[in-house]
Amino acid sequence: MTNHYCDLKNADVILIMGSNAAEHHPIAFKWILRAKEKGATIIHVDPRYTRTSARCDFHVPLRSGTDIAFLGGMIHYILENKKFFKDYVLNYTNASFIVDNGFNFKDGLFSGYDPKKRKYDKATWVFDKDGKGIPQRDMSLTHPRSVFQLLKKHYSRYTLDKVSSITGVSKENLLKVYEIYASTGVPDKAGTECYALGWTHHTTGSQNIRTMSIIQLLLGNMGIAGGGINALRGEPNVQGSTDHCILYGNLPGYLKMLSASLDTLDKYLHKYTPESKDPQSANYYSNYPKFFVSFLKSLWEDKATKENAFGYSWLPKMDDGKHYSTMHMFDAMYAGKVKGYFCVGADTAVSTPNSNKVRKAMENLDWLVGENIFDNETHSFWKGPGVDPKKIKTECFLLPAAATMEKEGSQSNSGRWVQWKYKAAEAPGDALPVGEIEIKIMAAVKKLYEKEGGPNAEAIVNLKWDYLDSKGHFDVIKVAKRINGVFLEDTVIEDKAKGTKTEFKKGQLVPGFGNLQADGKTACGNWCISGSYTADGINKMASRGKEDPTGLGLFPNWSFAWPVNRRILYNRASCDVNGRPYNPKRKLLEWTGDKWAGDVPDGPWPPQADRAKGKYPFIMQRDGLGALFGPGMAEGPFPEHYEPLEGPLEKNLLSSQRMNPAAEIFKSDMDQVANASEKFPYVCTTYSCTEHWCTGALTRWQAWLLEMQPELYVEIGEKLAREKGIKNGERIKVSSIRGEAPCIAMVTKRFKPFTVDGKEVHQVGMPFNYGWLFPKDSGSDSTNMLTPTVGDANTFCPEYKAFMVNVEKL
Amino acid sequence: MQITRRGFLTMTGAIGGGVALSSLGLNLNPTRAYADELGKMDRIKIAKQVTTICCYCSVGCGLVCSVDKATGKIFNIEGDADHPINERSLCAKGAGFFDLTEANKHRLTKVLYRKPYGTEWEEKDWDFALSRIARLVKDTRDKNFTKRNDKGELVNRCEAIGHYGSSNVDNEECWIMSVKSRALGMVYIDHQARV
């Protein structure tokens, strides 16, 4: 989230799209209702009428997988009707930048596309620069190659008629949403968006969110109280696990994973340290070398020296252009290339798309290590439906883990609040915290390498790995301090702007990432979280102060919000170029003449009207401004509507490119696809429920919750049920080209057919909370038996939300 | 056996749950036995209160665990009234948090091992598991290690071992796993943020 949960109360308009907040984030929804009580308008756009719809001002049904068309229409509306916040767009976005002459967009493709590689060469997705190397700007926004004019041209194709025909949303409903949401494009109104997996689970997932980011920048809704884009994320520490990057492409703190062509530390740092010639751009990532070297020191400390490039060569390197996501891992496992698998606190045999392929892949494993508080379908895959254990070679371990209240540590919520939790009781039996299990496994491996050696053994034997306490248990405080960062030598830090020098002693904790060094004097496990301890060793994550000095619900003394306890990101954009709040009634920040007052500002510099010392507000962007034109994306700098991998249409109504041209296609014999097929004529989407969590791997074992939601069902609209002769409560079969899922039919008014391209299209929906292991003999299994192995072109988040099925009586 | 929801709740309340739920394939007897033990405590006098954070969605609601000082057992978990986000309230899952404690007899309490081609889990101890896993990791890594790729570039990686998880453990544990996987040279590293 750019903002945080309590801040939702500050909004004037809330668009809930890609989320069923009332059922999946009930306590977040409380804050949405607080806004409503104060007069805010709440809009729900979703294929299905849910309990969220019931509490909103109105609900607009939309065909799964057409969000970009819907939002692209809103951009068109905002620009055509001049509803954008001009002062903000001019000063705080790259609307005025001039794009390279070679850039173009034709029939669904941007310049630079290579159809064989399904990739773009982004050479023309750049800005024209002046003699000093600063991007050229046209503040009149009339230059035909200005970002503003290109944006206008791109979305001029998203007319009401076209968008309605693609999405199945009536023109009246489109206009209603556009008008109300665009009303926030003024200084004293705030609009926010809440999304969840409903936006990420698409081949166009990242661009769904980017389309909304463009809208928020146009309306001046980024960086303000009650604004922003807010991901209601689905796991208790998914923010923290992402920050610590248990992800193939990043190292803790979103540092880039190494690739093979970057064979030296210098080359790596040169590639990932952005350079800006504009003196008004803070370009905060120019500090990248400090964060990266401090991370290397956190791994190998004394063994990482200037002479060995701080151990750079010891880290693994990915092949350039290759990806190693979950879907790639199971694809490689299916091909017999992955032999051992650690599955920790997860149930991938239920949660991964195309579960039949995943389970078949697991049969190729030599060994499987599971760590969990309950058994699940992954750990016991060797005795699953249709599997003969006597034919499965895999050596399996299931290690008992401590539950969350049986261990001390921190968890980060979606609003980036890193909250400390305490141990209430001992874990039962032999169970241990996952951290302790992992430390002990690695310590045992390390011992073997110390004794026997092996390839690249330095990476292992040199690893600083002293995170058990004197009694041999997980020393969580020691790890937390390592993450925060520490001075490895006596260090004097000079602040030239302030004219101060501060001395730190060896062993002292770093007070924040501003103190990290690129020469090996500091070690820091994750620069983002630096500052979670004070230099004197006080744990700020454990803070429980309830003060609310701004009255906006920032709660600056409750826990620690990264970065540097900033509660709302990009907050300097809540003020005009002179530092005066755009909306004095919701004053998040204000320049007092020599400093900022309010939330922790995005950097201490004066507002940008001060041409000598002032900085632009989007300090993590190289150019310092909000990116209406975003060349970082795999499929184009402006989001474009493409159909899902599997949909009801043979053609995309907007261009000749049916599906995302940059999405990777998996080609194993188990990766079958059926687009616009008579055999699988119904759009299917998936979701959760209040009583279960994710795969149900924790909640299915709880009698109180299971009684409320006992088994798998499919929601079918009344008209389709009539056509198929299916009755409510009847056991039926849902199938895709990849698999089947027997379940109970729930005939409902919540799904209504859509009119798409003049034809009637039915959509059905299923929860994803079930598996075969428990409850026993329910006949339920994973909904992911049906879903395809395909994902977003940037993130490889699978397309669980739009695929094609059939429903049949048994 | 046909039961309505209301009838079901009445019945479970009246007879303690075990019989009614067993008709749905569940056995609540162990939970009831645990609850009987709890009944012997003087909850007000002996409670120690410990705060924690909910382990389901990412809202980060606060909870208070009431712990019996004599036995060290948790006997109640409820919303934290001081927490600025949830202000004591909880959703259905959070309200049922107690069922994640050792009171839930489905909890894993032993190291389980299934040998190749075996048909059952066997109970083992930590020493066995740690030394055997370490051996398997080293053998798999050494046998399948890629020093240089097809282009001859130094890559120092092992593609034969994958890691998945978890967004359901604490930050300090996440950091440990992230670092461990890299030190081993793994590249197939992922977790629930992707799904």
Side-chain angles (χ1 to χ4, degrees), chain B residues 29-78:
Chain B
N29 285 330
T31 311
R32 191 172 56 177
Y34 188 83
D36 288 346
E37 283 297 305
L38 296 180
K40 294 173 191 164
M41 299 172 189
D42 181 341
R43 298 185 180 200
I44 306 299
K45 283 185 187 163
I46 55 180
K48 180 177 79 172
Q49 297 203 317
V50 182
T51 59
T52 189
I53 302 294
C54 185
C55 71
Y56 294 113
C57 83
S58 69
V59 173
C61 296
L63 298 111
V64 179
C65 305
S66 294
V67 183
D68 170 41
K69 284 182 194 161
T71 61
K73 286 192 188 302
I74 300 169
F75 61 83
N76 183 57
I77 304 180
E78 60 190 66

Side-chain angles (χ1 to χ4, degrees), chain A residues 397-544:
Chain A
F397 302 81
L398 179 48
L399 309 177
T404 185
M405 77 297 276
E406 294 155 0
K407 60 189 179 186
E408 186 172 3
S410 68
Q411 252 180 222
S412 304
N413 78 357
S414 266
R416 297 165 287 99
W417 292 15
V418 190
Q419 304 190 88
W420 199 257
K421 42 192 272 298
Y422 298 90
K423 178 175 171 174
E426 292 298 329
D430 293 340
L432 295 174
V434 156
E436 184 166 330
I437 298 172
E438 287 283 308
I439 290 169
K440 287 178 169 170
I441 290 173
M442 188 61 187
V445 174
K446 196 168 182 244
K447 212 178 245 179
L448 287 180
Y449 277 93
E450 281 161 1
K451 201 171 143 201
E452 303 168 12
N456 195 31
E458 297 94 325
I460 299 169
V461 298
N462 291 336
L463 186 67
K464 181 181 158 61
W465 206 246
D466 55 352
Y467 301 115
L468 295 179
D469 63 19
S470 57
K471 290 177 183 162
H473 294 301
F474 185 28
D475 191 339
V476 67
I477 303 287
K478 197 166 187 182
V479 178
K481 287 181 175 175
R482 172 98 333 201
I483 290 168
N484 175 80
V486 63
F487 288 97
L488 299 173
E489 297 171 31
D490 292 352
T491 308
V492 177
I493 294 189
E494 193 179 351
D495 187 331
K496 283 180 187 159
K498 286 186 191 159
T500 57
K501 281 185 181 178
T502 318
E503 203 177 321
F504 293 96
K505 293 283 172 205
K506 179 182 174 178
Q508 208 173 351
L509 298 178
V510 298
F513 52 72
N515 304 102
L516 296 176
Q517 303 295 308
D519 58 3
K521 285 201 180 82
T522 51
C524 175
N526 188 332
W527 71 276
C528 292
I529 317 299
S530 189
S532 51
Y533 273 88
T534 65
D536 301 328
I538 294 167
N539 182 352
K540 286 156 90 173
M541 300 173 277
S543 311
R544 281 175 66 89

Side-chain angles (χ1 to χ4, degrees), chain A residues 535-570:
Chain A
D536 301 328
I538 294 167
N539 182 352
K540 286 156 90 173
M541 300 173 277
S543 311
R544 281 175 66 89
K546 294 287 290 288
E547 301 79 8
D548 183 18
T550 61
L552 295 169
L554 299 180
F555 298 109
N557 300 321
W558 183 275
S559 75
F560 168 79
W562 75 262
V564 292
N565 211 29
R566 183 173 303 133
R567 303 284 157 156
I568 294 182
L569 299 178
Y570 321 122

Side-chain angles (χ1 to χ4, degrees), chain A residues 361-438:
Chain A
M362 291 184 73
E363 294 181 11
N364 291 331
L365 287 171
D366 290 339
W367 53 268
L368 168 68
V369 175
E371 300 168 30
N372 220 316
I373 70 169
F374 297 116
D375 189 8
N376 67 35
E377 287 77 7
T378 306
H379 309 311
S380 282
F381 84 96
W382 48 271
K383 54 176 174 174
V387 182
D388 179 359
K390 290 181 187 137
K391 291 182 181 157
I392 306 294
K393 66 176 176 180
T394 316
E395 193 169 350
C396 300
F397 302 81
L398 179 48
L399 309 177
T404 185
M405 77 297 276
E406 294 155 0
K407 60 189 179 186
E408 186 172 3
S410 68
Q411 252 180 222
S412 304
N413 78 357
S414 266
R416 297 165 287 99
W417 292 15
V418 190
Q419 304 190 88
W420 199 257
K421 42 192 272 298
Y422 298 90
K423 178 175 171 174
E426 292 298 329
D430 293 340
L432 295 174
V434 156
E436 184 166 330
I437 298 172
E438 287 283 308

Side-chain angles (χ1 to χ4, degrees), chain A residues 711-765:
Chain A
E711 64 181 309
L712 184 64
Y713 55 88
V714 57
E715 291 188 66
I716 303 174
E718 289 174 339
K719 190 171 182 202
L720 177 60
R722 263 198 311 277
E723 280 175 21
K724 306 286 281 188
I726 291 170
K727 290 191 182 63
N728 189 40
E730 186 178 357
R731 182 161 273 272
I732 64 162
K733 184 174 87 179
V734 182
S735 56
S736 76
I737 195 168
R738 293 160 294 273
E740 296 178 355
C743 57
I744 300 294
M746 185 188 285
V747 178
T748 174
K749 293 183 198 303
R750 289 186 287 268
F751 273 114
K752 295 244 160 55
F754 295 101
T755 304
V756 178
D757 194 19
K759 291 191 263 310
E760 187 174 73
V761 173
H762 289 285
Q763 179 159 349
V764 300

Side-chain angles (χ1 to χ4, degrees), chain A residues 591-634:
Chain A
W591 179 252
T592 61
D594 58 348
K595 64 176 177 10
W596 293 95
D599 192 9
V600 177
D602 256 326
W605 309 281
Q608 73 189 49
D610 180 341
R611 301 284 291 174
K613 291 181 186 165
K615 301 283 185 202
Y616 305 136
F618 291 89
I619 63 169
M620 303 313 283
Q621 294 281 343
R622 182 191 54 196
D623 300 320
L625 298 170
L628 295 174
F629 184 90
M633 307 299 285

Side-chain angles (χ1 to χ4, degrees), chain A residues 5 26-27 30-31 34 201 233 235-238 240-242 244-248 250 260 299 313 316-317 319 324-326 329 332 337 339-342 344-346 348 367 372-374 379-380 382 389-390 392-398 400-401 403 405-407 409-414 417 419 421-422 424 428 430 432-435 438 442 444 448-449 452-453 455-456 459-460 476 479 525 544 546 558 690-691 693 701-703 707-708 795 797-798 800, chain B residues 5 8 26 28 50-61 65 67 72 74 80 82-87 89-93 96-97 99-102 104 106-114 116-121 126 129-130 132-138 140-142 145 149 153-157 159-180 182-195:
Chain A
Y5 287 103
I27 305 300
K30 181 181 75 173
W31 292 96
R34 293 254 168 107
H201 284 172
R233 303 190 70 181
E235 299 244 352
N237 195 32
V238 67
S241 54
T242 308
H244 292 298
C245 298
I246 310 176
L247 299 166
Y248 71 90
N250 294 90
L299 302 186
S313 67
K317 291 170 189 67
D319 275 349
Y324 302 82
S325 78
T326 304
M329 177 181 74
K337 292 176 190 162
K339 318 271 187 193
Y341 176 36
F342 286 99
V344 181
T348 47
W367 53 268
N372 220 316
I373 70 169
F374 297 116
H379 309 311
S380 282
W382 48 271
K390 290 181 187 137
I392 306 294
K393 66 176 176 180
T394 316
E395 193 169 350
C396 300
F397 302 81
L398 179 48
M405 77 297 276
E406 294 155 0
K407 60 189 179 186
S410 68
Q411 252 180 222
S412 304
N413 78 357
S414 266
W417 292 15
Q419 304 190 88
K421 42 192 272 298
Y422 298 90
D430 293 340
L432 295 174
V434 156
E438 287 283 308
M442 188 61 187
L448 287 180
Y449 277 93
E452 303 168 12
N456 195 31
I460 299 169
V476 67
V479 178
R544 281 175 66 89
K546 294 287 290 288
W558 183 275
T690 309
E691 293 77 10
W693 175 73
W701 296 103
Q702 299 180 47
E707 190 264 327
M708 303 295 279
T795 64
C797 188
Y800 298 108
Chain B
R5 177 173 300 266
F8 174 88
L26 302 171
L28 273 193
V50 182
T51 59
T52 189
I53 302 294
C54 185
C55 71
Y56 294 113
C57 83
S58 69
V59 173
C61 296
C65 305
V67 183
I74 300 169
D80 183 348
D82 289 332
H83 199 283
I85 297 175
N86 61 309
E87 302 168 323
S89 61
L90 292 170
C91 73
K93 291 187 292 292
F97 215 69
D99 215 6
L100 284 172
T101 66
E102 65 171 316
N104 188 323
H106 296 296
R107 280 284 304 274
L108 297 169
T109 59
K110 297 282 180 196
V111 171
L112 298 179
Y113 175 72
R114 181 261 180 188
Y117 308 104
T119 55
E120 297 296 333
W121 287 114
W126 278 110
L130 292 172
R132 182 66 191 149
I133 293 167
R135 174 47 64 196
L136 289 167
V137 168
K138 183 167 193 302
T140 305
R141 182 182 178 277
D142 290 359
F145 199 78
N149 65 8
E153 295 161 326
L154 184 71
V155 293
N156 274 335
R157 68 174 182 241
E159 290 182 49
I161 304 177
H163 175 99
Y164 189 100
S166 174
S167 53
N168 189 21
V169 299
D170 296 343
N171 281 314
E172 296 71 23
E173 302 180 303
C174 289
W175 188 81
I176 284 288
M177 285 190 276
S178 199
V179 165
K180 170 198 150 206
R182 268 64 190 230
L184 287 173
M186 290 160 59
V187 282
Y188 285 114
I189 300 167
D190 216 340
H191 79 282
Q192 289 95 331
R194 192 87 55 195
V195 301

